[in-house]
Amino acid sequence: MQLPRFSGIPTFMRVPFSSNLDALDIVLAGVPFDGGVTARPGARFGPREIRNMSTMTRTTHHVTRFNPFEACRIGDIGDVPFTDLYHLERAHDDIRRFFEPVFAAGKIALSAGGDHSITYPIFQALAPKEPIALVHIDAHTDTWDSFKGSKFTHGAPFRRAVEAGLLDPKRTIQIGIRGAQNSDEGWRYSIESGMRVVFIEEFDERGAAAIAEEARRVVGDAPVYLSLDVDGLDPVFTPGTGTPEIGGLSTRETLALLRGLDGLNWIGGDVVEVSPPYDPSGNTALVAATLMYEMLCLFAKRAGHGTPGAHSTSL
């Protein structure tokens, strides 16, 4: 971070590129894949542009004065190397194989997508002994069953994760849900399976602090994953996404929500659905990079203070 921000090979937040997992506590990774979208593609370009905009990141949080780069060993391990981009389930296998050694080594992974279908193979790579908890910020529940012959689109990852015994629906909270649908199937599945669904109207009425407390109540002390779809924010802040829904969270509300989740038993997270072709300004990627930094601060507090082996996923 001592180089001028316009120089050097761009990595997430200008951390070192490293393939040595033993030298890291937290890994940053890109998943440049949008083969699971049901409408507008472009999220395959998300990791590259988020890396580019993350060069604006500095070290120390202005509220907490916390410096995650001093607390932990953090590195960018690059992008998932795909061998079969044109078959959705085989591409998901590539994602799973990429992350398996990361979680087997007890590391926290913070990933940039890519469409939201990538979260399911990341859960598969986690291979938890017991179903994990989830904080999910999104306009959509992503618990629909199938679309045009596939059960693995970006509208289905959390339904597949529940079915596979990877995700505990009763320890799952979905925040910011809104927008008309052709069917209530996803909303109904989430609610009937036991997920806590916070529609945007409830968020507006209760506020970020109260919803953060609700999230803490739902997930408890279970190992928890944080998945943030940028369409959870209002498209005035994140226009560069494939399925925008107006009336969403503001950047300030999202920051307040994330900061209210401090101290949970974090095991990983992702920021997904950044589609740079729909936002030539780069603002969506800047928002995503900033939210990744906020998530990194949460994870780094959990991971320890630079002590090798300090973090354990307890999976």
Side-chain angles (χ1 to χ4, degrees):
M1 284 192 171
Q2 301 310 308
L3 290 174
R5 283 180 279 178
F6 51 80
S7 65
I9 297 172
T11 60
F12 288 116
M13 306 180 214
R14 293 184 289 158
V15 300
F17 174 80
S18 176
S19 57
N20 180 9
L21 293 176
D22 291 337
L24 302 174
D25 301 306
I26 298 176
V27 304
L28 308 179
V31 190
F33 179 74
D34 59 11
V37 299
T38 55
R40 305 193 302 178
R44 67 185 64 183
F45 301 109
R48 179 168 294 189
E49 191 60 22
I50 294 171
R51 279 192 178 94
N52 184 35
M53 297 308 290
S54 76
T55 60
M56 302 300 294
T57 303
R58 295 185 176 96
T59 60
T60 306
H61 198 285
H62 78 282
V63 176
T64 63
R65 302 299 196 268
F66 179 68
N67 181 342
F69 307 99
E70 286 184 348
C72 291
R73 302 167 302 169
I74 303 166
D76 186 333
I77 63 170
D79 287 348
V80 174
F82 289 98
T83 61
D84 198 336
L85 274 172
Y86 299 102
H87 296 88
L88 180 52
E89 293 174 57
R90 295 179 195 170
H92 282 183
D93 287 340
D94 286 334
I95 298 170
R96 173 183 52 78
R97 284 190 290 266
F98 180 80
F99 284 101
E100 280 175 339
V102 172
F103 295 120
K107 312 303 178 181
I108 293 178
L110 176 53
S111 308
D115 70 53
H116 221 154
S117 75
I118 71 168
T119 308
Y120 177 57
I122 292 174
F123 279 15
Q124 290 178 308
L126 271 164
K129 296 176 183 176
E130 300 290 337
I132 64 173
L134 172 69
V135 176
H136 173 207
I137 301 169
D138 203 324
H140 314 101
T141 61
D142 293 350
T143 50
W144 278 260
D145 190 12
S146 65
F147 179 80
K148 300 300 182 184
S150 176
K151 288 179 171 286
F152 298 95
T153 72
H154 68 166
F158 302 117
R159 186 169 183 147
R160 298 288 86 83
V162 170
E163 293 171 348
L166 303 171
L167 175 64
D168 183 351
K170 294 181 174 57
R171 291 272 182 117
T172 294
I173 184 167
Q174 302 184 302
I175 301 168
I177 308 304
R178 64 190 186 280
Q181 298 289 337
N182 291 329
S183 166
D184 68 350
E185 176 191 356
W187 306 325
R188 185 160 33 86
Y189 180 88
S190 289
I191 294 168
E192 291 177 355
S193 68
M195 296 182 186
R196 176 67 168 92
V197 180
V198 179
F199 287 90
I200 196 64
E201 290 75 18
E202 180 182 356
F203 185 95
D204 289 342
E205 181 179 343
R206 299 182 61 190
I211 298 305
E213 282 303 311
E214 179 73 356
R216 302 176 74 89
R217 180 193 68 79
V218 169
V219 306
D221 60 359
V224 57
Y225 190 92
L226 176 55
S227 189
L228 194 158
D229 185 329
V230 296
D231 72 29
L233 282 75
D234 192 282
V236 72
F237 302 102
T238 53
T241 191
T243 49
E245 302 280 1
I246 69 165
L249 302 176
S250 70
T251 49
R252 286 186 180 180
E253 288 170 330
T254 309
L255 291 172
L257 176 60
L258 291 177
R259 292 169 189 171
L261 302 175
D262 189 26
L264 296 180
N265 185 12
W266 300 112
I267 55 173
D270 57 50
V271 176
V272 297
E273 298 288 354
V274 173
S275 186
Y278 300 114
D279 183 7
S281 75
N283 192 64
T284 303
L286 175 62
V287 171
T290 306
L291 296 178
M292 281 186 71
Y293 170 76
E294 292 283 339
M295 293 166 67
L296 179 64
C297 288
L298 296 176
F299 297 173
K301 288 181 182 180
R302 173 64 189 171
H305 295 281
T307 304
H311 171 67
S312 173
T313 58
S314 300
L315 294 178

